[in-house]
Amino acid sequence: MKKTCPIIATERSYVVEKEKFEPISKYYGEDTFNINVMKIKIPGDTYSKIIDAIHEGTILDIETANIVAHAMKEWALEKGATHFAHWFQPMTGITAEKHDAFVDVTGVGSVMERFSGKQLVQGEPDASSFPSGGIRATFEARGYTAWDMSSPAFIRRNGISTTLCIPTAFFSYTGEALDKKTPLLRSNRVVSKSALNILKLLGNEDVKGVYATLGPEQEYFLIDADYFYKRPDLVLGGRAVVGAPPAKGQELEDQYFGSIRERISSYMHDMEEELFKLGVPAKTRHNEVAPSQFELAPVFEEANLAVDHNQIVMDTMQSVAKKHKLACLLHEKPFAGINGSGKHLNWSMSDNKGDNLLNPGKTPHDNIQFLVFLIATIRAVYKHADILRASAGSYANDHRLGANEAPPAIISVFLGDQLTKILADIESGKVTEATDSEIINLGISSLPVVSKDSTDRNRTSPFAFTGNKFEFRAVGSAQSISFPATVLNTIVAESLDYLAEKIKDACGKNTSINQCVLAVIKKELKEIKPVLFNGDNYTAAWEKEAVRRGLPNNKTTPVALKVLVAKKALDLFEKYRVLSNVELKSRYLIHIEKYIKDLEIEAKCLNNICLSKVIPAATTYQKGLAKAIAGTREALGKSVDFTAQQELLKRVVELVNKIYAANKDVLAGIEKAAAIHDEQKKAEMLCSKVKTKMNELREYVDELEGLVDDELWPLPKFWEMLFIS
Ligand code: ADP
Ligand code: MG
């Protein structure tokens, strides 16, 4: 039966037809070559080898790889694929792929579908087209991709083309990581090892493995594609560089709780169907605070899979939007004056039995374990708040962080009243002598119920404990979550190791492990508690207080990024072999260059919009106004009062002059920056001088927007884009 999405009576409605509607469970994961498919398609002994290789992280022998490659190819051909691609995450951009047809020439005029183990396991894309941050000289531009068996290969359809995508890591000829996946995988191993070590110390011998878990809540805007294509700033940079906020923004708070509009619902249905086919657990959808803003929250997964899936989510959101004649904006702050988009990165750790290590338990022993992981995370954030801040830094995210809608650049930890009280009791010595049963009496065991409700309310905190996980809220909506997760894993691993040493030192013969742990926590809390803050992070008072407490407040990305190349970060990542000094420095350089490029693109867009759209429109309006005044005067004589038109005309001319002059200053600033060869200094100069000028320029344009005849204004306005769909 053909179902048709009902048409809404506006010219912008868009009809989507669907052939069939099936329960999600019928098609979930059908476009992935996951372990269930492998089990059916691959002989038993080979299948076991693969499972072992996935778990142990070992390399497949070539015979096994050949068998898997053959099965994968047959499966992909059944799905209509003609090509395969090693899919990877370069240091900038969403994802990259180079497609190769599944064919081998077998003779003159004949080919045959073939895919070897070698082609599956390793690829060689032209690495010179991807940024390396100075790692590779161009003469050794070779880069390799290696199959990541822990993330299933999947089918991607694009128009009539169908490709088998193989998740891979990307590295240079000399072995340096050129992507975002490699350091993440390394950090996963590191945190897993440190967690396992401390679990054993606490007497938890059953656990065989630990893995980090991630659940990224993805925010996004949807606007009609017609409007999108009329705005060069949105097309080129993802953000409206000019435009006045609409008369109605989010003040009425009717968007969040309102029902999802029909056209949007259809889009979400279609987009999620794609995601479900790709095995992405796209669980929750809802409207967000701002008009035309929405959120998708998946069920959390193992970190590597969650990162790949978030990349797929961002890709799919954008490609399905095109089909629906919508544009999906992932930018952190597309519309000034309207809430921006972030990505709440929920993070925790699970053991191999599926037990969440940040879940307060029912027994005193579980609670001691919980406290250790809780304190380790708090300590990690205290010690490395600056690195965490840097991991969320980008030109776009600077428009959002600290703008009293998203967390400030000061990274503090929110625990909620109950946990705060428990820690205070431990610190004050109330529970040092506690017997096991007294720990229960403190109420730790009832935490999940109580704190889950009470914690989630503080939306202003950048790093909040929400009952059984931490939520890092500073991450930008367009960013990859890979680096923030890599940082979290690494800094927590370091603190787990630190605590393990302290607990070992504290353990005498006659004290129980619980008492040792409490003694260590008591001592550590004194140092790390300045990072704990339950209050309103948006206030000026907190900013002052944070300075007093010695917490870093790196407000802009150029300042924030610098910490990546300071000794503390270089040593940490090198020590844990997550990123060598060369690798970390290259990432710093790429981020700082990206900052510069993003700013320059906006400046050029602004220039273009001012000179070729705004000023011509203003001039036309001005001409009309001048003609009207002159014509009326001629018809009615000098005695008529022209005050209003004259004032308007004067202001329009003034604004045009101001726009022209400010634009010139912006361009001069860009030119001046081009002469600065130190990228850090260049970024700082652009940030402090040029960005400020761009903001000033915008104010003139936005004022003009309110004066010039609506019919003449050359750009879709915010109210149109945000309220018409
Ligand atoms: P909210 O933050 O809106 O209260 P939830 O508590 O349902 O919503 O969780 C939000 C996100 O956190 C979801 O994507 C969810 O999968 C994720 N999440 C829940 N538990 C964990 C966990 N143990 N590790 C990582 N992410 C988690
Ligand atoms: Mg949340």
Side-chain angles (χ1 to χ4, degrees):
M1 187 195 55
K2 220 173 209 186
K3 265 201 199 174
T4 307
C5 175
I7 300 173
I8 321 158
T10 79
E11 55 173 321
R12 301 212 167 268
S13 62
Y14 175 68
V15 187
V16 186
E17 288 189 344
K18 278 232 156 289
E19 287 298 332
K20 55 176 185 177
F21 283 82
E22 278 181 327
I24 296 161
S25 58
K26 280 265 185 318
Y27 59 87
Y28 188 80
E30 72 173 26
D31 280 345
T32 61
F33 194 71
N34 58 26
I35 49 174
N36 302 331
V37 179
M38 284 200 230
K39 201 166 187 176
I40 299 166
K41 305 263 176 191
I42 295 175
D45 51 335
T46 312
Y47 173 75
S48 315
K49 278 190 198 167
I50 293 263
I51 297 299
D52 287 349
I54 291 174
H55 287 152
E56 311 296 328
T58 47
I59 294 169
L60 280 189
D61 60 80
I62 191 70
E63 288 87 58
T64 311
N66 278 332
I67 297 171
V68 181
H70 177 75
M72 207 187 263
K73 179 205 70 186
E74 292 298 306
W75 172 83
L77 292 180
E78 276 169 31
K79 297 267 168 203
T82 51
H83 287 65
F84 69 93
H86 276 200
W87 181 82
F88 61 97
Q89 296 158 34
M91 292 193 268
T92 55
I94 293 190
T95 48
E97 19 184 295
K98 178 186 143 211
H99 298 207
D100 277 300
F102 275 124
V103 288
D104 262 1
V105 176
T106 49
V108 180
S110 65
V111 293
M112 175 180 176
E113 269 79 18
R114 231 181 236 154
F115 184 49
S116 69
K118 197 163 159 274
Q119 286 171 306
L120 165 65
V121 174
Q122 189 166 320
E124 193 182 335
D126 176 15
S128 60
S129 354
F130 299 101
S132 74
I135 286 183
R136 282 170 292 98
T138 34
F139 61 84
E140 49 179 39
R142 255 186 296 174
Y144 297 95
T145 47
W147 180 30
D148 167 20
M149 281 180 279
S150 59
S151 182
F154 58 93
I155 294 290
R156 166 108 98 220
R157 297 186 180 81
N158 194 358
I160 58 165
S161 139
T162 303
T163 302
L164 168 72
C165 290
I166 301 156
T168 56
F170 182 43
F171 50 90
S172 76
Y173 181 61
T174 42
E176 274 103 7
L178 292 174
D179 66 348
K180 291 181 182 145
K181 186 190 269 285
T182 308
L184 175 74
L185 291 173
R186 292 176 187 157
S187 76
N188 281 342
R189 274 201 290 277
V190 161
V191 77
S192 163
K193 195 170 151 218
S194 302
L196 210 52
N197 175 48
I198 210 161
L199 285 174
K200 295 258 179 307
L201 185 65
L202 297 176
N204 192 339
E205 296 288 343
D206 316 339
V207 175
K208 299 279 172 275
V210 172
Y211 55 96
T213 53
L214 294 177
E217 300 166 55
Q218 177 73 49
E219 292 180 337
Y220 60 103
F221 279 89
L222 287 173
I223 62 168
D224 191 276
D226 277 356
Y227 292 132
F228 176 74
Y229 288 114
K230 285 186 184 129
R231 299 234 16 165
D233 46 1
L234 287 183
V235 174
L236 298 176
R239 185 174 86 100
V241 293
V242 296
K248 175 186 163 187
Q250 59 221 31
E251 297 84 359
L252 301 181
E253 295 181 348
D254 49 357
Q255 155 80 359
Y256 193 87
F257 298 105
S259 58
I260 300 172
R261 283 170 287 156
E262 275 181 27
R263 184 179 181 192
I264 302 300
S265 270
S266 297
Y267 161 78
M268 287 174 169
H269 179 97
D270 220 11
M271 185 255 290
E272 287 162 3
E273 198 172 278
E274 296 283 311
L275 292 176
F276 289 139
K277 282 186 198 160
L278 293 168
V280 179
K283 172 90 174 148
T284 310
R285 49 160 100 144
H286 59 79
N287 289 341
E288 255 307 323
V289 182
S292 290
Q293 190 189 28
F294 311 95
E295 182 185 291
L296 179 150
V299 174
F300 69 93
E301 297 176 286
E302 180 279 319
N304 179 43
L305 207 53
V307 169
D308 282 0
H309 281 169
N310 184 246
Q311 298 299 122
I312 292 176
V313 164
M314 290 194 284
D315 265 1
T316 307
M317 280 182 165
Q318 289 178 309
S319 59
V320 174
K322 280 186 194 150
K323 263 183 21 195
H324 287 244
K325 299 202 176 2
L326 291 164
C328 170
L329 309 179
L330 292 174
H331 193 283
E332 280 76 5
K333 187 79 179 173
F335 306 105
I338 298 285
N339 255 33
S341 300
K343 193 134 56 183
H344 289 177
L345 185 57
N346 293 271
W347 176 93
S348 187
M349 282 166 284
S350 278
D351 65 22
N352 58 308
K353 294 181 288 183
D355 289 332
N356 181 351
L357 298 177
L358 283 172
N359 210 357
K362 289 196 172 56
T363 66
H365 180 270
D366 284 349
N367 281 328
I368 279 293
Q369 186 176 301
F370 160 71
L371 281 174
V372 166
F373 282 91
L374 182 80
I375 295 294
T377 313
I378 298 171
R379 182 181 179 277
V381 177
Y382 173 69
K383 290 279 172 188
H384 302 297
D386 54 349
I387 304 180
L388 262 184
R389 158 68 181 105
S391 77
S394 74
Y395 176 68
N397 209 16
D398 274 9
H399 292 298
R400 169 181 165 263
L401 291 187
N404 285 4
E405 58 171 80
I410 308 161
I411 308 288
S412 63
V413 178
F414 172 85
L415 288 182
D417 294 340
Q418 191 178 9
L419 260 185
T420 304
K421 179 168 182 308
I422 289 168
L423 295 189
D425 285 351
I426 293 175
E427 200 204 338
S428 69
K430 258 196 193 167
V431 283
T432 331
E433 303 302 322
T435 60
D436 286 353
S437 61
E438 275 173 298
I439 302 172
I440 301 186
N441 290 341
L442 280 169
I444 302 183
S445 62
S446 60
L447 261 179
V449 189
V450 185
S451 65
K452 232 190 137 126
D453 293 334
S454 59
T455 50
D456 209 10
R457 299 227 177 85
N458 192 333
R459 289 268 158 202
T460 71
S461 174
F463 202 88
F465 183 73
T466 47
N468 56 4
K469 62 188 190 288
F470 277 99
E471 196 167 328
F472 182 29
R473 294 174 175 151
V475 183
S477 48
Q479 272 184 293
S480 157
I481 54 172
S482 193
F483 191 44
T486 302
V487 170
L488 264 172
N489 289 344
T490 312
I491 63 178
V492 172
E494 189 206 34
S495 277
L496 285 171
D497 289 353
Y498 172 87
L499 288 181
E501 283 309 306
K502 291 285 160 193
I503 293 169
K504 265 191 225 158
D505 291 349
C507 273
K509 276 201 184 112
N510 298 321
T511 36
S512 75
I513 185 83
N514 287 3
Q515 281 170 328
C516 299
V517 170
L518 286 177
V520 170
I521 290 176
K522 180 181 170 181
K523 191 148 168 281
E524 292 307 318
L525 270 172
K526 291 217 176 351
E527 190 198 347
I528 65 180
K529 70 177 178 191
V531 80
L532 300 177
F533 181 60
N534 288 343
D536 185 351
N537 284 255
Y538 294 169
T539 63
W542 167 236
E543 216 177 311
K544 263 201 199 147
E545 168 65 11
V547 174
R548 203 189 56 76
R549 295 189 190 185
L551 303 180
N553 182 6
N554 296 330
K555 286 190 178 176
T556 67
T557 290
V559 177
L561 287 178
K562 257 201 305 205
V563 308
L564 294 182
V565 284
K567 189 168 178 330
K568 182 169 77 97
L570 289 170
D571 287 354
L572 173 72
F573 286 101
E574 175 100 16
K575 178 179 166 201
Y576 281 94
R577 295 169 175 264
V578 170
L579 287 162
S580 69
N581 283 353
V582 170
E583 288 171 333
L584 187 54
K585 282 179 183 164
S586 77
R587 272 149 188 85
Y588 154 78
L589 201 61
I590 284 171
H591 283 133
I592 206 96
E593 279 174 355
K594 176 89 171 43
Y595 182 93
I596 294 168
K597 282 181 198 154
D598 285 349
L599 190 150
E600 286 179 352
I601 289 170
E602 278 198 356
K604 286 173 191 163
C605 258
L606 192 56
N607 169 59
N608 181 273
I609 284 176
C610 287
L611 295 189
S612 68
K613 290 187 182 291
V614 169
I615 295 182
T619 313
T620 307
Y621 179 60
Q622 171 193 328
K623 204 160 65 188
L625 213 49
K627 257 195 190 156
I629 296 170
T632 314
R633 182 173 287 147
E634 203 177 316
L636 299 178
K638 275 186 190 161
S639 59
V640 184
D641 181 8
F642 288 103
T643 321
Q645 279 100 325
Q646 276 170 334
E647 257 180 36
L648 257 175
L649 182 59
K650 214 168 137 222
R651 189 62 189 153
V652 169
V653 175
E654 267 168 17
L655 284 170
V656 167
N657 285 334
K658 282 179 188 287
I659 288 168
Y660 190 78
N663 183 48
K664 248 183 160 173
D665 290 345
V666 169
L667 293 182
I670 298 281
E671 209 165 294
K672 221 167 149 191
I676 305 174
H677 295 301
D678 179 325
E679 303 296 281
Q680 178 68 39
K681 289 203 178 103
K682 188 192 285 193
E684 281 175 20
M685 182 276 202
L686 285 169
C687 176
S688 64
K689 299 270 162 30
V690 178
K691 201 174 139 193
T692 325
K693 228 356 157 201
M694 287 163 71
N695 289 342
E696 184 193 321
L697 171 49
R698 177 194 194 126
E699 278 176 27
Y700 304 140
V701 176
D702 293 354
E703 188 185 334
L704 199 56
E705 182 191 311
L707 300 181
V708 169
D709 183 352
D710 225 13
E711 297 293 317
L712 295 173
W713 197 251
L715 296 163
K717 296 185 174 184
F718 283 14
W719 71 265
E720 296 173 287
M721 291 190 281
L722 293 170
F723 289 95
I724 297 184
S725 60

Short mmCIF file of all heavy atoms in Angstrom, two decimals, residues 213-217 286 295 297-301 344 346-350 356 452 456 459 466 468-469 471, ligand 1:
data_model
loop_
_atom_site.label_atom_id
_atom_site.label_comp_id
_atom_site.label_asym_id
_atom_site.label_seq_id
_atom_site.Cartn_x
_atom_site.Cartn_y
_atom_site.Cartn_z
N THR A 213 32.07 4.28 27.07
CA THR A 213 30.81 4.37 26.33
C THR A 213 30.49 5.84 26.04
O THR A 213 30.83 6.73 26.82
CB THR A 213 29.65 3.78 27.16
OG1 THR A 213 29.63 4.40 28.45
CG2 THR A 213 29.79 2.28 27.32
N LEU A 214 29.86 6.07 24.90
CA LEU A 214 29.50 7.43 24.50
C LEU A 214 28.08 7.49 23.97
O LEU A 214 27.66 6.60 23.23
CB LEU A 214 30.42 7.91 23.37
CG LEU A 214 31.90 8.14 23.62
CD1 LEU A 214 32.58 8.54 22.32
CD2 LEU A 214 32.11 9.20 24.69
N GLY A 215 27.39 8.54 24.35
CA GLY A 215 26.07 8.79 23.78
C GLY A 215 25.98 10.26 23.41
O GLY A 215 25.76 11.10 24.27
N PRO A 216 26.25 10.61 22.15
CA PRO A 216 26.24 12.02 21.76
C PRO A 216 24.85 12.50 21.34
O PRO A 216 24.27 11.98 20.39
CB PRO A 216 27.19 12.06 20.56
CG PRO A 216 27.14 10.67 19.98
CD PRO A 216 26.65 9.73 21.04
N GLU A 217 24.32 13.47 22.08
CA GLU A 217 23.03 14.05 21.68
C GLU A 217 23.32 15.12 20.63
O GLU A 217 24.06 16.06 20.88
CB GLU A 217 22.36 14.69 22.90
CG GLU A 217 22.07 13.71 24.02
CD GLU A 217 21.73 14.41 25.33
OE1 GLU A 217 20.80 15.23 25.34
OE2 GLU A 217 22.41 14.15 26.33
N HIS A 286 13.43 15.08 19.24
CA HIS A 286 12.52 16.12 19.75
C HIS A 286 12.89 17.50 19.23
O HIS A 286 13.98 17.71 18.69
CB HIS A 286 12.45 16.10 21.28
CG HIS A 286 13.76 16.33 21.99
ND1 HIS A 286 14.30 17.58 22.14
CD2 HIS A 286 14.62 15.47 22.58
CE1 HIS A 286 15.44 17.46 22.83
NE2 HIS A 286 15.66 16.19 23.09
N GLU A 295 16.72 17.81 17.95
CA GLU A 295 17.78 16.98 18.52
C GLU A 295 17.52 15.50 18.25
O GLU A 295 16.39 15.05 18.23
CB GLU A 295 17.87 17.19 20.04
CG GLU A 295 19.00 16.38 20.67
CD GLU A 295 19.04 16.47 22.19
OE1 GLU A 295 19.37 17.55 22.71
OE2 GLU A 295 18.75 15.45 22.84
N ALA A 297 18.97 11.86 19.83
CA ALA A 297 19.84 11.21 20.83
C ALA A 297 19.84 9.70 20.59
O ALA A 297 18.79 9.07 20.55
CB ALA A 297 19.36 11.51 22.24
N PRO A 298 21.03 9.14 20.39
CA PRO A 298 21.11 7.69 20.18
C PRO A 298 21.23 6.97 21.52
O PRO A 298 21.53 7.58 22.53
CB PRO A 298 22.42 7.55 19.41
CG PRO A 298 23.27 8.64 19.95
CD PRO A 298 22.35 9.78 20.32
N VAL A 299 21.02 5.67 21.48
CA VAL A 299 21.36 4.85 22.64
C VAL A 299 22.88 4.77 22.67
O VAL A 299 23.52 4.64 21.62
CB VAL A 299 20.76 3.44 22.51
CG1 VAL A 299 21.24 2.54 23.65
CG2 VAL A 299 19.25 3.52 22.48
N PHE A 300 23.46 4.87 23.86
CA PHE A 300 24.92 4.90 23.93
C PHE A 300 25.54 3.59 23.46
O PHE A 300 24.92 2.53 23.52
CB PHE A 300 25.38 5.24 25.35
CG PHE A 300 25.11 4.17 26.36
CD1 PHE A 300 26.09 3.23 26.66
CD2 PHE A 300 23.90 4.09 27.02
CE1 PHE A 300 25.86 2.24 27.60
CE2 PHE A 300 23.65 3.10 27.96
CZ PHE A 300 24.62 2.17 28.24
N GLU A 301 26.78 3.70 23.00
CA GLU A 301 27.50 2.53 22.49
C GLU A 301 28.96 2.60 22.91
O GLU A 301 29.42 3.62 23.42
CB GLU A 301 27.45 2.51 20.95
CG GLU A 301 26.05 2.39 20.39
CD GLU A 301 26.07 2.47 18.87
OE1 GLU A 301 26.25 3.58 18.33
OE2 GLU A 301 25.91 1.42 18.23
N HIS A 344 25.81 17.24 23.38
CA HIS A 344 26.08 16.77 24.74
C HIS A 344 26.72 15.40 24.63
O HIS A 344 26.10 14.45 24.17
CB HIS A 344 24.79 16.68 25.55
CG HIS A 344 24.23 18.02 25.89
ND1 HIS A 344 23.05 18.19 26.56
CD2 HIS A 344 24.71 19.26 25.66
CE1 HIS A 344 22.82 19.48 26.74
NE2 HIS A 344 23.81 20.16 26.18
N ASN A 346 27.72 12.35 26.28
CA ASN A 346 27.57 11.54 27.49
C ASN A 346 28.65 10.47 27.50
O ASN A 346 28.83 9.75 26.50
CB ASN A 346 26.18 10.89 27.51
CG ASN A 346 25.09 11.94 27.66
OD1 ASN A 346 24.71 12.30 28.76
ND2 ASN A 346 24.61 12.46 26.53
N TRP A 347 29.35 10.37 28.61
CA TRP A 347 30.52 9.49 28.68
C TRP A 347 30.49 8.66 29.96
O TRP A 347 30.17 9.18 31.03
CB TRP A 347 31.78 10.36 28.63
CG TRP A 347 33.07 9.61 28.79
CD1 TRP A 347 33.85 9.11 27.78
CD2 TRP A 347 33.74 9.28 30.01
NE1 TRP A 347 34.96 8.49 28.32
CE2 TRP A 347 34.91 8.58 29.68
CE3 TRP A 347 33.45 9.50 31.36
CZ2 TRP A 347 35.80 8.10 30.65
CZ3 TRP A 347 34.34 9.02 32.32
CH2 TRP A 347 35.50 8.34 31.96
N SER A 348 30.80 7.41 29.82
CA SER A 348 30.96 6.56 31.00
C SER A 348 31.85 5.38 30.63
O SER A 348 32.47 5.38 29.55
CB SER A 348 29.60 6.08 31.51
OG SER A 348 29.78 5.41 32.74
N MET A 349 31.92 4.41 31.53
CA MET A 349 32.67 3.19 31.25
C MET A 349 31.82 1.99 31.66
O MET A 349 31.13 2.05 32.68
CB MET A 349 33.96 3.17 32.08
CG MET A 349 35.07 4.02 31.54
SD MET A 349 36.34 4.25 32.80
CE MET A 349 35.55 5.43 33.86
N SER A 350 31.89 0.95 30.87
CA SER A 350 31.18 -0.28 31.21
C SER A 350 32.18 -1.41 31.31
O SER A 350 33.22 -1.38 30.64
CB SER A 350 30.19 -0.65 30.11
OG SER A 350 29.01 0.08 30.25
N ASN A 356 27.68 -0.59 34.27
CA ASN A 356 28.18 0.78 34.15
C ASN A 356 29.01 1.12 35.39
O ASN A 356 28.53 1.05 36.52
CB ASN A 356 26.97 1.71 34.03
CG ASN A 356 27.37 3.16 33.88
OD1 ASN A 356 28.53 3.52 34.04
ND2 ASN A 356 26.39 4.00 33.59
N LYS A 452 19.24 11.29 39.72
CA LYS A 452 18.91 11.40 38.31
C LYS A 452 17.92 12.53 38.08
O LYS A 452 18.03 13.27 37.12
CB LYS A 452 18.35 10.08 37.79
CG LYS A 452 19.12 9.67 36.55
CD LYS A 452 18.56 8.55 35.81
CE LYS A 452 18.65 8.94 34.37
NZ LYS A 452 19.19 8.27 33.42
N ASP A 456 19.77 16.69 36.63
CA ASP A 456 19.68 17.10 35.23
C ASP A 456 19.25 18.54 35.06
O ASP A 456 19.32 19.09 33.96
CB ASP A 456 18.71 16.16 34.51
CG ASP A 456 19.08 16.03 33.05
OD1 ASP A 456 20.16 16.49 32.66
OD2 ASP A 456 18.26 15.53 32.29
N ARG A 459 21.40 23.04 33.60
CA ARG A 459 21.76 23.01 32.18
C ARG A 459 22.95 23.91 31.89
O ARG A 459 23.43 23.98 30.77
CB ARG A 459 20.55 23.44 31.34
CG ARG A 459 19.45 22.42 31.32
CD ARG A 459 19.62 21.47 30.14
NE ARG A 459 18.91 20.23 30.39
CZ ARG A 459 19.20 19.08 29.77
NH1 ARG A 459 20.17 19.04 28.91
NH2 ARG A 459 18.53 17.99 30.02
N THR A 466 25.13 13.07 35.58
CA THR A 466 23.67 12.95 35.45
C THR A 466 23.23 11.53 35.85
O THR A 466 22.67 10.80 35.05
CB THR A 466 23.19 13.30 34.03
OG1 THR A 466 24.02 12.62 33.09
CG2 THR A 466 23.26 14.78 33.76
N ASN A 468 24.36 8.51 36.24
CA ASN A 468 25.20 7.32 36.02
C ASN A 468 26.18 7.53 34.88
O ASN A 468 26.68 6.59 34.28
CB ASN A 468 24.32 6.09 35.74
CG ASN A 468 23.40 6.32 34.56
OD1 ASN A 468 23.46 7.37 33.90
ND2 ASN A 468 22.54 5.36 34.27
N LYS A 469 26.43 8.78 34.55
CA LYS A 469 27.35 9.12 33.45
C LYS A 469 27.70 10.59 33.58
O LYS A 469 27.00 11.33 34.29
CB LYS A 469 26.67 8.88 32.10
CG LYS A 469 25.43 9.76 31.93
CD LYS A 469 24.63 9.42 30.71
CE LYS A 469 23.55 10.43 30.40
NZ LYS A 469 22.40 10.46 31.28
N GLU A 471 28.23 14.22 31.48
CA GLU A 471 27.76 14.82 30.25
C GLU A 471 28.64 16.03 29.96
O GLU A 471 28.57 17.03 30.67
CB GLU A 471 26.30 15.24 30.47
CG GLU A 471 25.55 15.54 29.22
CD GLU A 471 24.04 15.62 29.48
OE1 GLU A 471 23.52 14.93 30.37
OE2 GLU A 471 23.40 16.41 28.78
P1 ADP B 1 18.90 13.42 29.05
O1 ADP B 1 20.35 13.86 29.04
O2 ADP B 1 18.10 14.23 28.07
O3 ADP B 1 18.32 13.34 30.41
P2 ADP B 1 19.26 10.49 28.88
O4 ADP B 1 19.54 10.35 30.31
O5 ADP B 1 18.29 9.54 28.30
O6 ADP B 1 18.78 11.95 28.45
O7 ADP B 1 20.63 10.30 28.09
C1 ADP B 1 21.09 11.13 27.13
C2 ADP B 1 22.14 10.40 26.35
O8 ADP B 1 23.04 9.79 27.25
C3 ADP B 1 21.60 9.29 25.46
O9 ADP B 1 22.21 9.39 24.19
C4 ADP B 1 22.04 8.06 26.19
O10 ADP B 1 22.25 6.96 25.34
C5 ADP B 1 23.34 8.52 26.80
N1 ADP B 1 23.78 7.64 27.89
C6 ADP B 1 23.02 7.02 28.82
N2 ADP B 1 23.78 6.22 29.58
C7 ADP B 1 25.05 6.31 29.13
C8 ADP B 1 26.29 5.71 29.48
N3 ADP B 1 26.37 4.83 30.46
N4 ADP B 1 27.38 6.05 28.77
C9 ADP B 1 27.31 6.94 27.77
N5 ADP B 1 26.18 7.52 27.40
C10 ADP B 1 25.05 7.22 28.05
#
